[in-house]
């Protein structure tokens, strides 16, 4: 990803830069014999363990659709973020039977830029490769086990285990959900002006019921299995 072509790359963030990561694990085991004496030996031991991980999600780049800088590679040109309508030129955009002029497209693009703090901070500048660092994602897992020893001719241990993954999602469906890149290339290169300035049309657009033009949001909530809470139950038998 570049501005002037792949032979003139600017210093940029690594794709592997996770930036911040916090991991914590805590556990507690209760031996019932320590609580109720000898009678507790038949009850066994109960353990609870929590594992927390909080880290930034990966980095994203904002690009332009097409090959604006003429390096022969499509969709790898970093996006210029206009500060105002004077810094961008639009061709008319046709969606179905409707046509949207430069003013309508600028209104949609401006709202898209304002919705993302990184883009808003880059007005009047090009975006950087991997410049946008997504927010911290926090997930908490819980493990609850209970183990008893049985005398079946030889000592036999039976462990019952309950695991709940992404516990925070149980409490609030919006927690523990990853952010997925929804659209990071809202501009389609569409020729040049008479003085050589690039012209664009918006991409990834929709028309509201009121007839206003809008762009897809930068991010959306994830819909993978890891984005919702899960529970599993297991039994383990050990022989001594």
């Amino acid at each position: 990803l570049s501005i002037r072509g792949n032979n003139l790359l600017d210093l940029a963030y690594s794709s592997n830069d996770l930036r911040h990561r916090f991991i914590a694990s805590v556990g507690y085991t209760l031996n019932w014999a320590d609580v109720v004496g000898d009678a507790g030996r038949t009850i066994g031991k109960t353990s609870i363990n929590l594992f927390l991980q909080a880290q930034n999600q990966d980095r994203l780049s904002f690009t332009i659709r097409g090959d604006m800088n003429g390096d022969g590679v499509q969709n790898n040109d970093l996006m210029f973020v206009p500060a105002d309508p004077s810094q961008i030129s639009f061709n008319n955009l046709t969606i179905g039977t409707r046509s949207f002029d430069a003013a309508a497209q600028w209104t949609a693009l401006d709202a898209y830029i304002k919705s993302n703090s990184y883009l808003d901070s880059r007005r009047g500048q090009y975006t950087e490769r991997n410049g946008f660092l997504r927010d911290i994602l926090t997930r908490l897992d819980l493990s609850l086990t209970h183990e008893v020893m049985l005398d079946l001719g030889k000592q036999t241990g039976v462990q019952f285990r309950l695991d709940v993954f992404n516990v925070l999602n149980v409490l609030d469906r919006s927690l523990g959900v990853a952010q997925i890149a929804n659209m990071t290339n809202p501009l389609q290169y569409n020729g040049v002006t008479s003085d050589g300035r690039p012209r664009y049309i918006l991409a990834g657009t929709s028309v509201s019921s009121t007839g206003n033009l809008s762009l897809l949001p930068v991010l959306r909530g994830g819909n993978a299995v890891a984005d919702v809470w899960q529970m599993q139950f297991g039994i383990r038998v050990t022989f001594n």
Side-chain angles (χ1 to χ4, degrees):
L1 302 177
S2 64
I3 298 171
R4 295 174 295 276
N6 288 336
N7 291 326
L8 293 169
L9 298 177
D10 293 310
L11 189 66
Y13 294 101
S14 166
S15 299
N16 300 314
D17 177 16
L18 293 179
R19 192 50 55 113
H20 302 297
R21 189 183 190 196
F22 175 80
I23 294 176
S25 179
V26 62
Y28 178 75
T29 298
L30 175 63
N31 190 335
W32 288 98
D34 297 334
V35 179
V36 296
D38 289 343
R41 294 180 180 177
T42 60
I43 301 176
K45 297 184 295 184
T46 302
S47 298
I48 183 170
N49 292 276
L50 294 169
F51 177 78
L52 175 74
Q53 177 174 271
Q55 70 175 50
N56 282 108
Q57 300 168 78
D58 61 8
R59 289 184 169 274
L60 298 175
S61 303
F62 290 90
T63 57
I64 294 167
R65 305 186 190 199
D67 182 19
M68 188 183 69
N69 62 12
D71 63 356
V73 182
Q74 295 286 320
N75 307 326
N76 77 325
D77 302 332
L78 292 171
M79 174 182 166
F80 177 79
V81 185
D84 55 60
S86 69
Q87 294 186 340
I88 189 168
S89 298
F90 287 106
N91 288 328
N92 284 345
L93 170 67
T94 300
I95 300 178
T97 59
R98 302 198 58 166
S99 180
F100 296 90
D101 61 12
Q105 291 181 77
W106 165 253
T107 298
L109 179 63
D110 189 47
Y112 175 86
I113 295 169
K114 287 178 179 176
S115 73
N116 182 270
S117 59
Y118 172 74
L119 282 178
D120 213 25
S121 72
R122 300 295 296 180
R123 286 185 183 266
Q125 306 172 76
Y126 283 92
T127 58
E128 307 153 290
R129 181 169 67 90
N130 294 327
F132 174 44
L133 180 65
R134 291 191 288 170
D135 289 339
I136 290 177
L137 172 64
T138 302
R139 284 182 174 153
L140 178 68
D141 299 329
L142 177 146
S143 177
L144 182 65
T145 62
H146 183 72
E147 185 173 5
V148 296
M149 298 300 296
L150 303 176
D151 188 359
L152 302 176
K154 61 169 64 177
Q155 285 294 306
T156 303
V158 180
Q159 184 188 83
F160 303 92
R161 176 166 179 155
L162 174 69
D163 291 295
V164 183
F165 304 103
N166 203 1
V167 175
L168 298 177
N169 192 250
V170 178
L171 306 176
D172 187 325
R173 63 187 299 177
S174 67
L175 298 177
V177 179
Q179 297 172 320
I180 304 299
N182 195 42
M183 190 181 68
T184 57
N185 51 356
L187 295 174
Q188 170 72 54
Y189 176 58
N190 199 236
V192 295
T193 63
S194 58
D195 58 354
R197 296 176 59 191
R199 301 186 71 92
Y200 304 97
I201 56 173
L202 291 187
T205 54
S206 61
V207 182
S208 69
S209 58
T210 58
N212 295 321
L213 190 65
S214 63
L215 285 161
L216 295 172
V218 175
L219 302 171
R220 64 174 176 81
N223 56 4
V225 172
D227 294 313
V228 294
W229 69 271
Q230 304 164 69
M231 180 186 295
Q232 69 179 22
F233 181 74
I235 300 176
R236 185 176 71 173
V237 180
T238 57
F239 302 96
N240 296 320

